[in-house]
Amino acid sequence: YSKHLKLLILELFFCWTESDEQMLTVSMSKRGYLSESRYNPNKISSYLIKIIKFLKSSDFIEFYPGFYDSVTMKSRLSRIKASGKLIDLFKQLKVSEKMKANHPKREFVIKMDGNKRVEYSDDFETQDVKEIIFNYNEIISRTIFDIPIFEKSYITRFDNKKILISTLGSQANFIFSGDIKNNFKIDGCWWNKLDYDFLKFYAKHIVVNDKPTSFFSLNENFNDFLKKKMGIENFFKKKDLESFSSSQICNLIVKGVNSKSFKSFFRSILLEKKKFFDTTNVSSEEIKKRMEIFIEDNQPVSNFFFKEYKLHWEEFLNEIFYKLLQKCVPANIPVFMIKDKIYFSTDFSRLIKENLEKILAEVLSIKKIKLSYIECLSYNFKSRGFFSNILKSDTPLSKRYEQRLKQFK
């Protein structure tokens, strides 16, 4: 009883610490708990359901029941958050951002079969991956990765989902299916939930460790990727760049190649139109017309559209980033990937540039690649000290960010 109660109270505490709007998802079905699974290091069983009911009846939590709609096949797990009564107790505690919230035996390498986690046997390959991801998460826990101009603790994505700028719980997972070498992604951190619409406006506003920050944009190598995978070249068109970012153009081309028909391609654009257009007020007719022009202007690559050819751009990006982690993690260098952009403290630019050029040349089978990085906006950091005092800057800093620096220091 006490083990399950302590765990749930801790989860509620960390959830509330990051944001009083954040909720914790819980299963109210016994089938939702596998106490002997490798993904359950605390060995939590369905006994947790009794704890949830107790906290609810004692007014320590707000409870929002889940649902399952057999007609639409949509469902949602139940959600809980600390009540005012429990928050009053939480406010009496003080906790450092450096406190680790994860179990020391938490599994960061996850095998998936469809939408389900499945067990697997460890071997030399999985152990190598575990060591890299475990140490990468140790680096993340000692690093601030943030958007200083954001006052709110969350970002509203194109689909209106709120992405919390987590200060405690960001941990990377290595998720694979089938062969661990060829079909994987690195996911689980708050920045992995951002999308290209965010990068179009805020790519240069991101900061690593309150220091001058830069990034490499891997979409600059999209033409080399197409040449390797399909044997064709497709340079960004000036007309397209007037309407879309280079990242959005890459995404449109990949979506077109992977779609079965113009109808399915057009439908997916409509579902995500805020991802590609600055406003949702664009009519369906206008979007259809612009997509037809985009296809016409992007030959010969658009000749591969709707032919059931598969272009694995996301897999390529994850492969490049993991190979970079293999170089940077042993050197204790924090690097972060948001979609097709890799961020780092500018102090490490030379080392990261050399490694990334070698990795890309090897994967793309090119003799030599020359990269150039883009500098993020300057916040006029002082050069002395790890977390510096901030001088007067043309770029505004949010009170939320300044408070986070104080807490972290």
Side-chain angles (χ1 to χ4, degrees):
Y1 183 91
S2 63
K3 179 180 81 169
H4 287 74
L5 179 61
K6 287 178 182 178
L7 176 83
L8 191 54
I9 294 296
L10 278 171
E11 291 283 356
L12 288 165
F13 173 72
F14 282 113
C15 193
W16 167 78
T17 298
E18 289 196 310
S19 172
D20 55 9
E21 295 184 31
Q22 188 173 206
M23 294 191 184
L24 192 65
T25 57
V26 293
S27 175
M28 298 302 288
S29 168
K30 290 183 177 180
R31 291 176 296 178
Y33 298 89
L34 298 172
S35 60
E36 298 304 317
S37 170
R38 71 190 301 145
Y39 306 117
N40 186 357
N42 291 295
K43 305 301 180 186
I44 296 302
S45 70
S46 58
Y47 197 88
L48 191 70
I49 297 172
K50 293 183 179 180
I51 304 299
I52 295 168
K53 291 180 177 178
F54 163 72
L55 292 175
K56 179 185 175 185
S57 64
S58 303
D59 294 326
F60 281 114
I61 61 171
E62 295 178 15
F63 181 84
Y64 301 87
F67 68 88
Y68 173 73
D69 190 324
S70 59
V71 177
T72 62
M73 300 297 287
K74 292 183 178 180
S75 63
R76 172 182 277 180
L77 288 171
S78 298
R79 297 167 297 156
I80 62 175
K81 61 185 292 189
S83 67
K85 181 178 177 180
L86 186 56
I87 289 172
D88 287 341
L89 297 175
F90 286 164
K91 287 179 178 178
Q92 299 176 30
L93 304 174
K94 289 187 178 180
V95 62
S96 167
E97 185 173 317
K98 296 180 181 180
M99 177 179 286
K100 295 181 181 179
N102 290 309
H103 192 286
K105 292 185 179 180
R106 174 182 162 176
E107 187 63 76
F108 296 114
V109 179
I110 301 169
K111 186 174 183 178
M112 301 293 293
D113 182 7
N115 294 323
K116 293 183 178 180
R117 293 183 177 189
V118 294
E119 304 294 323
Y120 61 90
S121 299
D122 282 313
D123 54 27
F124 289 117
E125 289 178 349
T126 60
Q127 290 298 335
D128 287 344
V129 173
K130 284 183 179 182
E131 183 176 356
I132 291 294
I133 300 301
F134 176 83
N135 289 326
Y136 179 50
N137 281 323
E138 288 292 296
I139 293 173
I140 289 176
S141 69
R142 301 191 300 267
T143 306
I144 283 186
F145 187 62
D146 210 316
I147 308 105
I149 65 167
F150 268 76
E151 188 61 62
K152 293 182 178 179
S153 61
Y154 61 86
I155 297 164
T156 303
R157 205 168 60 177
F158 76 95
D159 55 4
N160 292 323
K161 288 186 178 179
K162 293 179 179 179
I163 309 302
L164 181 72
I165 303 175
S166 178
T167 59
L168 293 170
S170 283
Q171 296 282 269
N173 295 317
F174 185 100
I175 302 172
F176 73 101
S177 58
D179 188 352
I180 195 171
K181 292 181 180 179
N182 301 318
N183 191 8
F184 65 86
K185 64 178 179 179
I186 298 170
D187 203 352
C189 299
W190 66 265
W191 51 87
N192 299 131
K193 299 174 184 177
L194 300 177
D195 220 318
Y196 293 108
D197 66 312
F198 171 84
L199 291 174
K200 184 176 181 180
F201 299 102
Y202 297 107
K204 291 186 177 181
H205 290 269
I206 294 170
V207 164
V208 176
N209 276 342
D210 198 38
K211 288 185 174 183
T213 299
S214 302
F215 64 89
F216 287 103
S217 189
L218 295 182
N219 61 49
E220 298 299 325
N221 303 99
F222 187 68
N223 181 55
D224 297 320
F225 172 77
L226 285 178
K227 194 171 182 179
K228 164 109 174 144
K229 300 297 181 181
M230 302 171 67
I232 60 172
E233 292 186 320
N234 192 84
F235 297 98
F236 298 140
K237 309 296 189 298
K238 183 177 180 181
K239 185 189 296 184
D240 291 335
L241 290 170
E242 291 174 355
S243 302
F244 305 104
S245 69
S246 55
S247 295
Q248 289 174 319
I249 294 171
C250 294
N251 201 14
L252 284 171
I253 291 174
V254 171
K255 192 180 286 290
V257 172
N258 292 345
S259 296
K260 292 182 178 181
S261 64
F262 179 80
K263 184 179 180 179
S264 62
F265 171 70
F266 178 55
R267 185 168 58 245
S268 67
I269 298 298
L270 286 180
L271 289 172
E272 301 177 333
K273 62 181 180 180
K274 194 175 177 183
K275 190 174 177 180
F276 298 102
F277 304 98
D278 296 345
T279 176
T280 55
N281 294 326
V282 185
S283 68
S284 298
E285 292 76 15
E286 176 65 19
I287 292 175
K288 184 177 181 181
K289 182 179 178 181
R290 290 175 68 173
M291 290 301 98
E292 288 173 341
I293 294 172
F294 179 84
I295 292 171
E296 184 179 343
D297 288 345
N298 278 275
Q299 294 179 355
V301 70
S302 60
N303 293 333
F304 288 82
F305 283 20
F306 324 131
K307 302 287 178 64
E308 297 191 30
Y309 191 93
K310 290 299 178 184
L311 203 54
H312 301 289
W313 175 238
E314 296 291 336
E315 289 84 346
F316 168 78
L317 295 175
N318 278 279
E319 179 185 3
I320 298 301
F321 185 61
Y322 180 69
K323 287 180 179 293
L324 183 62
L325 287 182
Q326 289 178 307
K327 300 293 184 182
C328 291
V329 168
N332 202 32
I333 299 173
V335 289
F336 303 86
M337 185 170 77
I338 304 180
K339 293 301 181 183
D340 56 11
K341 292 175 173 45
I342 295 177
Y343 289 85
F344 53 91
S345 294
T346 309
D347 292 345
F348 300 113
S349 58
R350 183 184 62 80
L351 184 61
I352 293 175
K353 181 176 183 292
E354 290 176 357
N355 280 295
L356 198 52
E357 286 175 342
K358 290 178 182 177
I359 291 167
L360 284 166
E362 177 187 353
V363 173
L364 293 170
S365 303
I366 297 175
K367 188 175 181 180
K368 196 172 185 179
I369 285 182
K370 283 290 184 183
L371 297 176
S372 57
Y373 59 82
I374 300 169
E375 294 183 354
C376 293
L377 295 179
S378 173
Y379 290 90
N380 292 335
F381 308 106
K382 284 186 176 180
S383 60
R384 63 181 183 274
F386 184 78
F387 289 104
S388 58
N389 293 320
I390 302 169
L391 299 177
K392 185 178 180 181
S393 172
D394 293 333
T395 309
L397 290 168
S398 66
K399 292 181 180 179
R400 176 199 62 81
Y401 179 71
E402 290 181 310
Q403 183 62 29
R404 185 180 181 189
L405 287 181
K406 291 177 182 177
Q407 291 175 344
F408 199 92
K409 187 175 180 181

